[in-house]
């Protein structure tokens, strides 16, 4: 989506999925909330603090952070363009190569998993994240670790476990993982705190972290030692930066997760990940990982296992309007 003002256009992307599996939001709910609530609260209104204050204009809306983030992030891009500065600089980051990791889904067997990991390492990815679930975890991971003893491995459970799986989760400690991401339900901070006290491996929280307040609560409880920070999940770049600052002040590493964005969303993520607290490789794959042809020019290319923001005003890349128009399923203009 684009916000227009001052002769420029700022671009954002709503990262809600078609189904409410990762988040309660979907493309349909986001479309409705954008049309009836978010855009009327933002377009044509005065916003003290500029882009940083856009989030305040929609803070009264309960939930729907991905819909709110789409507009808020577009405002950041617009403001940076009007100011003639790259988005990473507007956020307080510095131009640097952002290390890139890859997330690999469940595979049909161990041989296929080992082959996928080998291919990802050969491509230059700096961290390999493997999806796990009960019964498809310890043994496949052991096979990968045996084949690649020094590979930077992490796992993502997407809340598939309970505290009843503690023996199985304890067994992951012997595999030298960087972290175990979101093992328990998103709303179970107390359970995560108990689990973290039982494990040597760091727990990373993803779905649980919905705001700066929940991030602070999780850290106060000892529920995690790493945070996966996705701007769309927390309502935009302003809130993401607040979470980053909390973690930085406490020495807790953060990394930028991906939500299958186009090159527009990827640009925002890369800019955010230039902030100093992002010390672990993020899920920031190049365009060709997901797209036959991306929606932006130039496309995102990984070099030496990293993506680097372009030194141009705003997000740096230009949305390909002809391609977006050709692929559009529906349109909405709000004045």
């Amino acid at each position: 989506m684009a916000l227009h003002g001052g002769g420029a256009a700022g671009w954002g992307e709503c990262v809600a999925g078609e189904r409410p599996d990762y988040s309660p939001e979907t493309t349909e709910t986001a479309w409705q909330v954008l049309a009836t609530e978010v855009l009327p609260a933002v377009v044509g209104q005065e916003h003290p603090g500029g882009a940083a204050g856009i989030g305040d204009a929609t803070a009264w809306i309960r939930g729907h952070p991905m819909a709110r983030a789409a507009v808020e992030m577009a405002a950041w891009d617009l403001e940076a363009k009007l100011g003639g500065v790259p988005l990473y600089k507007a956020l307080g980051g510095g131009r640097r190569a952002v290390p890139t990791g890859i997330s690999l889904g469940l595979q049909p067997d161990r041989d296929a998993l080992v082959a996928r990991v080998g291919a990802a390492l050969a491509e230059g990815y700096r961290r390999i994240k493997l999806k796990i679930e009960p019964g498809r975890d310890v043994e496949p991971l052991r096979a990968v670790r045996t084949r690649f003893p020094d590979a930077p491995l992490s796992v993502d459970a997407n809340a598939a476990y309970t505290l009843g799986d503690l023996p199985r989760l304890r067994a992951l400690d012997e595999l030298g993982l960087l972290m175990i991401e979101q093992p328990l339900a998103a709303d179970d901070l107390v359970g995560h705190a108990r689990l973290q006290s039982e494990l040597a491996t760091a727990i990373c929280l993803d779905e649980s972290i919905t705001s700066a307040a929940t991030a602070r609560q999780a850290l106060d409880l000892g529920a995690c030692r790493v945070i996966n920070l996705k701007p769309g999940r927390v309502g935009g770049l302003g809130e993401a930066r607040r979470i980053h600052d909390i973690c930085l002040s406490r020495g807790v590493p953060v990394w930028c997760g991906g939500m299958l964005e186009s090159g527009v969303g990827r640009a925002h993520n890369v800019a955010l990940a230039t902030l100093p607290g992002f010390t672990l490789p993020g899920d920031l794959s190049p365009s060709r990982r997901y797209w036959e042809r991306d929606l932006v020019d130039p496309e995102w290319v990984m070099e030496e296992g990293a993506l680097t923001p372009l030194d141009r005003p705003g997000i740096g890349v230009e949305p390909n309007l002809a391609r977006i128009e050709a692929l559009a399923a529906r349109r909405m203009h709000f004045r």
Side-chain angles (χ1 to χ4, degrees):
M1 67 159 296
L3 282 182
H4 297 268
W11 285 81
E13 180 169 353
C14 181
V15 297
E18 291 182 321
R19 301 179 62 196
D21 46 7
Y22 173 83
S23 162
E25 284 186 271
T26 67
T27 51
E28 290 299 324
T29 65
W31 185 272
Q32 179 182 352
V33 170
L34 280 165
T36 62
E37 308 296 345
V38 180
L39 289 172
V42 172
V43 175
Q45 307 296 322
E46 293 286 339
H47 299 286
I54 290 289
D56 295 335
T58 60
W60 61 271
I61 299 173
R62 291 197 179 189
H64 307 285
M66 294 177 179
R68 291 187 288 113
V71 176
E72 191 255 19
M73 294 164 78
W76 275 99
D77 181 35
L78 177 60
E79 184 172 274
K81 285 174 177 171
L82 293 175
V85 299
L87 178 59
Y88 70 82
K89 187 175 291 186
L91 289 170
R95 189 166 189 258
R96 64 181 178 91
V98 177
T100 299
I102 190 172
S103 178
L104 301 178
L106 294 167
Q107 301 299 309
D109 54 54
R110 293 182 202 175
D111 289 343
L113 179 62
V114 170
R116 289 293 305 277
V117 171
L121 290 170
E123 287 185 68
Y125 286 99
R126 306 273 191 93
R127 176 185 50 79
I128 312 297
K129 182 171 79 174
L130 306 176
K131 297 289 185 178
I132 59 171
E133 64 182 18
R136 302 174 73 180
D137 42 30
V138 180
E139 294 308 318
L141 286 169
R142 186 173 286 124
V144 172
R145 179 54 81 204
T146 299
R147 176 65 181 83
F148 304 105
D150 301 319
L153 300 178
S154 67
V155 295
D156 184 5
N158 287 119
Y161 295 81
T162 70
L163 286 175
D165 296 303
L166 182 56
R168 182 179 294 276
L169 292 167
R170 276 202 192 106
L172 298 176
D173 272 344
E174 66 186 67
L175 300 175
L177 301 174
L178 294 173
M179 69 192 89
I180 301 170
E181 186 178 345
Q182 200 64 50
L184 309 181
D187 59 357
D188 192 4
L189 292 181
V190 172
H192 278 106
R194 178 182 167 190
L195 180 60
Q196 182 65 93
S197 72
E198 298 280 350
L199 298 179
T201 307
I203 287 176
C204 169
L205 290 182
D206 175 6
E207 292 97 320
S208 295
I209 306 302
T210 56
S211 65
T214 56
R216 188 177 292 108
Q217 290 166 7
L219 297 178
D220 287 347
L221 287 168
C224 65
R225 298 206 294 263
V226 181
I227 284 179
N228 173 356
L229 188 45
K230 299 175 180 176
R233 190 190 65 233
V234 302
L237 294 169
E239 191 71 359
R241 192 168 61 171
R242 283 187 281 274
I243 295 170
H244 162 273
D245 292 348
I246 291 168
C247 291
L248 184 64
S249 70
R250 300 189 185 200
V252 174
V254 296
W255 56 278
C256 192
M259 289 291 294
L260 303 179
E261 294 97 341
S262 76
V264 172
R266 184 86 65 227
H268 283 278
N269 289 349
V270 172
L272 177 67
T274 66
L275 292 172
F278 287 85
T279 56
L280 294 170
D283 288 343
L284 301 172
S285 299
S287 295
R288 66 184 178 87
R289 162 81 168 136
Y290 298 110
W291 296 82
E292 180 179 306
R293 177 72 181 88
D294 206 341
L295 302 181
V296 299
D297 296 309
E299 295 187 293
W300 288 99
V301 177
M302 184 171 69
E303 297 180 343
E304 298 183 357
L307 300 182
T308 303
L310 299 179
D311 206 15
R312 302 173 182 174
I315 59 174
V317 295
E318 288 295 327
N320 187 319
L321 298 182
R323 181 162 175 75
I324 292 171
E325 188 67 23
L327 294 173
R330 56 185 167 178
R331 301 162 181 81
M332 174 174 58
H333 298 275
F334 192 94
R335 296 183 184 276

